[in-house]
Amino acid sequence: MGIFDLFRQIESGSGSGLQGKLTWLVVGLGNIGLEYENTRHNAGFMAVEQLAQACGGDFRQMKFRSDCGEAMVGGVRCLLMKPTTYMNNSGEAVAAAANFYKIPPEHVLVMYDDISLAPGKLRIRRKGSAGGHNGIKSIIALLGTEEFPRIRVGVGAKPTPQYDLADWVLSKFTPEEQTALQPALEQAAEAASLIVQDKMDQAMNRFSH
């Protein structure tokens, strides 16, 4: 094998189980660090980790200020990402990867937490506003558009209106909530697989509650 053959193999992903051109980013939002594990704000991390587990991917690469790795999702070559920028600057990682691979916003799928949904519920949308979510606000600002698909994972509403929002989203799930959450994470992974295959309507009909 000549050096140019080797370069072509690396580019195409052959020899690693990867095939075709990388055409999608699948991003889970959250905060890095042990203190944030299993908190409500890390539901996006949990969802993309579930997807990686389902498709044999991993997060052993560090680039674009993210833990990331390539995987075949529903037969489509994707970059799975967990930004390490902390939530409020998620757009820095997403925009860097999208610009490098020349991925259009409509092929940037973002999974993240939603306090308006109960644990175990999902909501899938083709586009939309930030809805007060700082991670999405950052992505919209740096991609320059709201037109990217997203899977919102329910994490439960504040127990009282007076409860501090930051304290709530950084609180950990109860054991009962985690039991309800797990099927939703599995469904989010299935929905992501459909979405990257351009089966958004099917994903919404099956999994958006």
Side-chain angles (χ1 to χ4, degrees):
M1 177 185 289
I3 187 68
F4 293 109
D5 294 319
L6 181 60
F7 284 148
R8 277 192 289 271
Q9 176 173 307
I10 292 169
E11 174 63 24
S12 67
S14 58
S16 62
L18 299 171
Q19 298 178 341
K21 185 181 177 183
L22 193 153
T23 55
W24 277 83
L25 306 181
V26 183
V27 187
L29 301 188
N31 290 306
I32 57 170
L34 289 175
E35 67 269 36
Y36 297 112
E37 282 190 3
N38 296 319
T39 59
R40 298 171 199 279
H41 227 16
N42 273 27
F45 274 8
M46 297 161 78
V48 79
E49 286 164 0
Q50 183 71 43
L51 176 61
Q53 183 180 328
C55 66
D58 58 53
F59 297 94
R60 287 185 289 186
Q61 299 178 54
M62 166 55 82
K63 55 185 180 180
F64 311 116
R65 299 180 68 191
S66 298
D67 292 328
C68 57
E70 294 184 32
M72 298 301 292
V73 179
V76 178
R77 187 171 174 179
C78 302
L79 183 70
L80 309 185
M81 300 179 63
K82 295 193 299 181
T84 60
T85 56
Y86 291 100
M87 182 66 82
N88 292 1
N89 296 313
S90 299
E92 296 174 9
V94 175
N99 290 337
F100 181 84
Y101 288 111
K102 297 180 172 56
I103 304 292
E106 58 268 25
H107 277 205
V108 177
L109 173 60
V110 184
M111 302 196 278
Y112 63 102
D113 58 292
D114 187 342
I115 63 168
S116 71
L117 300 173
K121 299 292 186 182
L122 299 178
R123 190 158 292 156
I124 300 169
R125 292 290 182 265
R126 298 177 189 276
K127 59 183 179 178
S129 67
H133 193 284
N134 287 335
I136 297 297
K137 193 179 299 183
S138 174
I139 294 171
I140 289 171
L142 287 162
L143 288 184
T145 181
E146 297 181 348
E147 299 202 10
F148 54 88
R150 65 280 308 266
I151 300 174
R152 290 150 54 186
V153 181
V155 298
K158 295 189 299 181
T160 65
Q162 294 77 28
Y163 203 102
D164 183 76
L165 178 59
D167 288 344
W168 178 245
V169 296
L170 296 178
S171 66
K172 294 186 183 294
F173 292 102
T174 66
E176 294 78 15
E177 288 172 331
Q178 283 205 298
T179 298
L181 181 66
Q182 184 55 39
L185 297 177
E186 295 169 6
Q187 290 174 4
E190 290 185 60
S193 179
L194 290 171
I195 291 168
V196 301
Q197 296 176 71
D198 295 321
K199 298 177 181 177
M200 171 62 84
D201 289 341
Q202 190 175 334
M204 293 175 74
N205 289 337
R206 285 184 59 186
F207 300 116
S208 196
H209 308 307

